[in-house]
Amino acid sequence: MTDPFIDLRSDTVTRPTPAMRRAMFEAEVGDDVYGEDPTVNRLEARAAEVCGKEAALFVPTGTMGNTIAVKCLTSHGQEVICDARGHLLNYELSMTAWFAGCLIRSIHTSGGILTWQQIEKEIRPLGPHAADTGLIELENTHNMAGGTVYPQDVLDDICHRAHQRGIRVHIDGARIFNAAAALNQPVSRICAHADTVMFCLSKALGAPAGSMLAGPRPVIDRARLYRKRLGGGMRQSGILAAAGLIALDEMPALLPRDHSNARFLAAGLAAIPGISVPPEPPQTNIVIFDVSATGRTGPEISQALKQRGVLLNAISPAAMRAVTHCDVSRAQCQTALETLAATLS
Ligand SMILES: Cc1ncc(COP(=O)(O)O)c(C=O)c1O
């Protein structure tokens, strides 16, 4: 079925590939709450291997993966440090407070990338006036900062120094495979020194649903209980895990094409009067651009583009976000640019 829209709203809109659909049809399944779904078990083992961790857990969503990680790595009443534009803080319905009973202490960063120097100033020891810091959460790649990637030495430095202070580190790696493609490093290298990592099968990797949380076996054993508490025990979820296995093994190789399309979009956007893009080309598959000099707001432009077959979200009155993925081609990126130019002219 061909889609009448060119959909640049997010990489969550990707549809399962024919190979995924075949694998789903043929998947061997069992009751995963009893640990008896062979396909889920294979996916969890493979995800653990890819992340270089002892164990992994299949969860329905990235939000649930982050929620459970924060719960497992903190004590009620602690603080969690993250970047001010982080998904954890802004788009997960305050689950850190609701489920783990922790407060987020956010830090303004350039490009979504925290450094130890910034973090150190915000770390609090437990005392009569302060709750202690239990966890640092790093988003790699960083969604709302435009798909930015942690320099590996910065990330490793944070992990080492945090551990010296008895503080844990969780990576929100919803798009960690994009980071791996940009750095030309395996995912296991990127998260080698973090305690846990969550990544999404359902975004740039194209699976219809599901995310993975990987970490030490005792943490993942507890995480499994929290998944059940949150209503995430999914029974014959091997149907979904089958697509996840294809996503893990076949889709990362395609990501450089999405990144090249994002750079192509950014260069094209920069040439449209009234639009400004960041000076650095996008590192991965997300382009955030400013439309304030067009005389139209982001939501107005979004609405006008929709009439012409292009879906593109505003993230504020002044800014829009385009996300490339496996279901948009270079030719469609070109059409989207021409449509945007025509809409604004
Ligand atoms: C950086 C980041 N983390 C976590 C999530 C949450 O994933 P989900 O939508 O599967 O809950 C998203 C979703 O867009 C994201 O961009």
Side-chain angles (χ1 to χ4, degrees), residues 110-111 145 148 263 266-267 270 275-283 287-290:
S110 121
T148 48
R263 291 193 294 274
I275 289 186
S276 64
V277 296
E280 298 296 325
Q283 289 176 280
V287 189
I288 292 183
F289 55 98
D290 188 287

Side-chain angles (χ1 to χ4, degrees), residues 10 12 60-64 66 87-88 92 139 141-143 172 174-175 198 200 202-203 211 321:
S10 175
T12 58
T61 63
T63 299
M64 191 187 285
N66 282 339
H87 199 276
L88 186 77
E92 298 189 8
E139 190 172 313
T141 67
H142 197 296
N143 182 347
D172 174 350
R175 297 181 179 82
M198 181 285 290
C200 295
S202 59
K203 297 195 167 66
S211 295
R321 185 186 73 149

Side-chain angles (χ1 to χ4, degrees), residues 136-156:
I136 297 163
E137 189 262 5
L138 308 174
E139 190 172 313
N140 194 20
T141 67
H142 197 296
N143 182 347
M144 282 300 157
T148 48
V149 180
Y150 265 86
Q152 196 57 45
D153 57 335
V154 173
L155 198 154
D156 289 344

